[in-house]
Amino acid sequence: MSLVFSAPISIRFAHCDPAGIVFYPRYFELMNGVVEDWCAQGLGMSFHEMHIVQGIGLPTVHIETDFVKTSVLGDELVAELRVIKLGRASATIEIRMVGQEQDLRLKAQLVLVMAHVQERRAIALPVALREQMRKYLTA
Amino acid sequence: MSLVFSAPISIRFAHCDPAGIVFYPRYFELMNGVVEDWCAQGLGMSFHEMHIVQGIGLPTVHIETDFVKTSVLGDELVAELRVIKLGRASATIEIRMVGQEQDLRLKAQLVLVMAHVQERRAIALPVALREQMRKYLTA
Amino acid sequence: MSLVFSAPISIRFAHCDPAGIVFYPRYFELMNGVVEDWCAQGLGMSFHEMHIVQGIGLPTVHIETDFVKTSVLGDELVAELRVIKLGRASATIEIRMVGQEQDLRLKAQLVLVMAHVQERRAIALPVALREQMRKYLTA
Amino acid sequence: MSLVFSAPISIRFAHCDPAGIVFYPRYFELMNGVVEDWCAQGLGMSFHEMHIVQGIGLPTVHIETDFVKTSVLGDELVAELRVIKLGRASATIEIRMVGQEQDLRLKAQLVLVMAHVQERRAIALPVALREQMRKYLTA
């Protein structure tokens, strides 16, 4: 059975715009934080370990997002992350954010590519990391 | 002939991450700024006029983006905005950012919906605004 | 005895700049989050309650900050908040962020003023809120 | 006679909070941009040159700010930068932002220190840069 990584998201004052709802670029910061937590807590390799120790990274090369329903200041959401496709150097993931009534706020697909930071080129996913990612691969 | 709205984009320190390249959520802030400038300068209706005076807005309900090539601190880009599709209440636009050598950095498609801010519902695009948008509609 | 409000702060990828350290404007977002959590958890009045329900807010009118030591990606800090001075309409607070070895990263003093959002003018702190704040007043 | 560096600031949607005014941490991003422009345009040494080519930087170690008057979406401000004090390794600058009627929105003092990025230690300001800075030193 495949795992789902989930993380709580509090909608803060800093995320909201003059219309009183989440300013959509802030959702991408929040999603980047979900990927960061997934790597550290779900896959056992923190961004610090990747970027500072190993000199590798996981940049996003493609993203598509449906903003289904607005979120407002004080909303408590849950983000769920699944792996949709696992390549040699890339992983396609899906992130959903839902409200307290399981109402979908947004759905996104991101293609992440493992890269050597200094040389700015794609490299194969480290074997151990890829094995951890596989646990989150949807059937 | 259809118009293209273009705007200069300077890649600043505030946009860049520890890998020395643009942190991708910042691109969405930059794209939102391009839409904001297009409304004010290209369409004759500023976000201030929309949000503060008329109580309407143009939220993004769908966005897909290809990050083709990284940008670094000090890069001077040009953003180009075109209208792909024009509905009764929505506009699908394309934004491209290119470097000094016309090299593509990113390409995005956004679906914007005209909305009544207070009531949180879609409304028809104001006629005058829609006519202005039509000038940017690609053949 | 006076209370100290404390909150954990994880230094994320989104907070760091090309020098690999926290980009200082992000510290102010983090400090605003500490004040937000203090209001909700320490004082029993969330920003949602203030802004959306009651139409009041707690804008910062003065701030001074010493950035004592840099923080890097992955650092786990603790923020501590104390009240230094309590006026009729304002509160002066101190926020410290310290690392795992109790090493000081930054120290800030902020003057917050209770305001009526729509009318943009200072008002007296609500009595119950002021009583809660007094518990955090340093002797 | 001493020079004043000035730069236009447009208050954008991205800067504003649910109260419809500038979210104060955004002012610090804007101020950082003013310093960035001053270095490139006023002093002849861009952040790209500093950070990427020379491996040096100009971190802010102290800042104090008075938020005198709120700014709203669509406001066109002017930022003015002066040097207050010039040390061997540091510069104390003042930034003021004013509205169209010369009304003061904020006043800030920042202490910037010249630093070697990799080694995280203060170094003397490069002579040529210091000479340029001196032109902005108030009498």
Side-chain angles (χ1 to χ4, degrees):
Chain A
M1 223 200 90
S2 63
L3 296 175
V4 176
F5 179 79
S6 61
I9 305 260
S10 300
I11 299 304
R12 291 182 166 282
F13 195 74
H15 302 137
C16 297
D17 69 16
I21 62 177
V22 174
F23 180 52
Y24 85 82
R26 305 288 166 241
Y27 272 130
F28 293 101
E29 286 186 61
L30 291 168
M31 281 196 263
N32 195 71
V34 173
V35 172
E36 195 170 2
D37 288 347
W38 177 52
C39 287
Q41 299 160 26
L43 306 178
M45 189 188 269
S46 70
F47 270 26
H48 181 271
E49 172 67 21
M50 279 190 205
H51 282 266
I52 312 298
V53 182
Q54 304 209 13
I56 59 179
L58 212 46
T60 300
V61 298
H62 177 80
I63 189 166
E64 30 185 305
T65 310
D66 284 299
F67 300 98
V68 178
K69 195 182 155 187
T70 56
S71 298
V72 301
L73 178 59
D75 280 2
E76 297 293 339
L77 310 183
V78 172
E80 297 183 345
L81 182 157
R82 289 167 177 85
V83 177
I84 301 295
K85 213 176 112 183
L86 202 49
R88 197 186 66 90
S90 71
T92 304
I93 62 172
E94 184 190 83
I95 295 177
R96 285 163 175 267
M97 292 190 193
V98 298
Q100 298 287 358
E101 344 251 86
Q102 296 304 312
D103 50 321
L104 188 64
R105 302 298 171 90
L106 72 77
K107 191 173 70 171
Q109 267 199 23
L110 297 83
V111 181
L112 311 175
V113 171
M114 180 51 62
H116 189 283
V117 171
Q118 204 69 29
E119 303 177 5
R120 304 259 154 94
R121 60 178 181 82
I123 55 171
L125 286 160
V127 175
L129 188 71
R130 199 172 182 281
E131 281 318 297
Q132 291 300 315
M133 283 181 171
R134 188 187 298 281
K135 296 179 181 167
Y136 295 86
L137 187 61
T138 55
Chain B
M1 221 202 92
S2 64
L3 295 175
V4 176
F5 179 78
S6 61
I9 305 259
S10 301
I11 300 304
R12 292 179 165 283
F13 196 75
H15 302 137
C16 297
D17 68 17
I21 61 177
V22 174
F23 180 54
Y24 84 83
R26 306 285 166 245
Y27 272 130
F28 294 100
E29 285 186 62
L30 291 168
M31 282 196 263
N32 196 71
V34 172
V35 172
E36 195 170 1
D37 288 346
W38 177 51
C39 287
Q41 299 160 27
L43 305 178
M45 188 189 271
S46 70
F47 270 26
H48 181 271
E49 173 67 23
M50 278 189 205
H51 283 267
I52 312 298
V53 182
Q54 303 208 14
I56 60 180
L58 211 47
T60 301
V61 298
H62 177 80
I63 189 164
E64 33 186 302
T65 311
D66 284 300
F67 300 98
V68 179
K69 196 182 155 187
T70 56
S71 298
V72 300
L73 177 60
D75 280 1
E76 296 292 339
L77 310 183
V78 172
E80 297 183 345
L81 183 158
R82 291 168 176 82
V83 176
I84 300 295
K85 212 174 113 184
L86 202 49
R88 199 187 64 92
S90 71
T92 304
I93 63 172
E94 185 191 79
I95 295 177
R96 285 164 174 267
M97 292 191 194
V98 297
Q100 299 288 359
E101 342 252 87
Q102 296 304 311
D103 50 321
L104 187 64
R105 303 299 172 90
L106 73 76
K107 191 172 70 170
Q109 267 199 24
L110 297 85
V111 181
L112 311 175
V113 171
M114 180 50 61
H116 189 283
V117 171
Q118 203 69 30
E119 303 178 3
R120 305 259 154 92
R121 61 179 180 81
I123 55 172
L125 285 159
V127 174
L129 188 71
R130 199 172 182 281
E131 280 319 295
Q132 290 300 316
M133 283 182 171
R134 187 186 298 280
K135 296 179 182 168
Y136 294 86
L137 186 62
T138 55
Chain C
M1 222 201 91
S2 65
L3 295 176
V4 176
F5 180 77
S6 62
I9 305 260
S10 301
I11 300 303
R12 291 180 165 283
F13 196 75
H15 302 138
C16 297
D17 69 16
I21 61 176
V22 174
F23 180 53
Y24 85 82
R26 305 287 165 243
Y27 273 128
F28 294 101
E29 285 185 63
L30 291 169
M31 281 196 264
N32 195 71
V34 173
V35 172
E36 195 171 2
D37 288 347
W38 177 52
C39 288
Q41 299 160 26
L43 305 178
M45 189 189 270
S46 71
F47 271 25
H48 181 271
E49 173 67 22
M50 279 190 206
H51 283 268
I52 313 298
V53 181
Q54 304 208 15
I56 60 179
L58 211 47
T60 300
V61 299
H62 177 79
I63 189 165
E64 32 185 302
T65 311
D66 284 300
F67 300 98
V68 178
K69 195 182 156 189
T70 56
S71 298
V72 301
L73 177 59
D75 279 1
E76 297 293 339
L77 311 182
V78 172
E80 297 183 344
L81 184 157
R82 291 167 176 83
V83 176
I84 300 296
K85 211 176 113 185
L86 201 50
R88 199 187 65 91
S90 71
T92 304
I93 62 172
E94 184 191 82
I95 296 177
R96 286 164 175 266
M97 293 192 193
V98 297
Q100 298 288 358
E101 345 250 87
Q102 296 304 312
D103 49 321
L104 187 64
R105 304 299 172 89
L106 72 77
K107 191 172 71 172
Q109 267 199 24
L110 297 84
V111 181
L112 311 175
V113 171
M114 182 50 62
H116 189 283
V117 173
Q118 203 69 29
E119 303 178 5
R120 305 258 153 93
R121 60 178 181 82
I123 55 171
L125 285 159
V127 175
L129 188 71
R130 199 171 181 282
E131 281 317 296
Q132 291 299 315
M133 284 181 171
R134 187 186 298 280
K135 297 179 182 169
Y136 295 87
L137 188 61
T138 55
Chain D
M1 218 199 95
S2 64
L3 295 175
V4 176
F5 179 78
S6 62
I9 305 260
S10 300
I11 299 304
R12 292 181 165 283
F13 195 74
H15 302 138
C16 297
D17 69 16
I21 62 177
V22 174
F23 179 52
Y24 86 83
R26 305 288 165 243
Y27 272 129
F28 294 100
E29 286 186 60
L30 291 168
M31 281 195 263
N32 195 70
V34 173
V35 173
E36 196 171 2
D37 288 347
W38 177 52
C39 288
Q41 298 160 27
L43 305 178
M45 189 188 270
S46 70
F47 271 25
H48 181 271
E49 173 66 22
M50 279 191 206
H51 283 267
I52 313 297
V53 182
Q54 305 208 13
I56 59 179
L58 211 48
T60 301
V61 298
H62 176 79
I63 188 165
E64 32 185 302
T65 310
D66 284 301
F67 300 99
V68 178
K69 194 182 155 188
T70 56
S71 298
V72 301
L73 178 59
D75 279 1
E76 297 293 339
L77 310 183
V78 172
E80 297 183 345
L81 183 157
R82 290 166 177 85
V83 176
I84 300 298
K85 211 175 113 185
L86 201 50
R88 198 186 65 92
S90 71
T92 303
I93 63 172
E94 184 191 82
I95 296 178
R96 285 164 173 267
M97 293 191 193
V98 298
Q100 298 288 356
E101 343 252 86
Q102 296 304 312
D103 49 323
L104 187 64
R105 303 299 172 89
L106 72 78
K107 191 172 71 172
Q109 267 199 22
L110 299 84
V111 181
L112 310 175
V113 171
M114 181 51 61
H116 189 284
V117 172
Q118 204 70 30
E119 303 177 5
R120 304 259 155 92
R121 60 179 181 83
I123 55 172
L125 285 159
V127 175
L129 188 71
R130 199 171 181 282
E131 281 319 296
Q132 291 301 314
M133 283 180 171
R134 188 186 299 280
K135 298 180 180 166
Y136 295 86
L137 187 62
T138 55

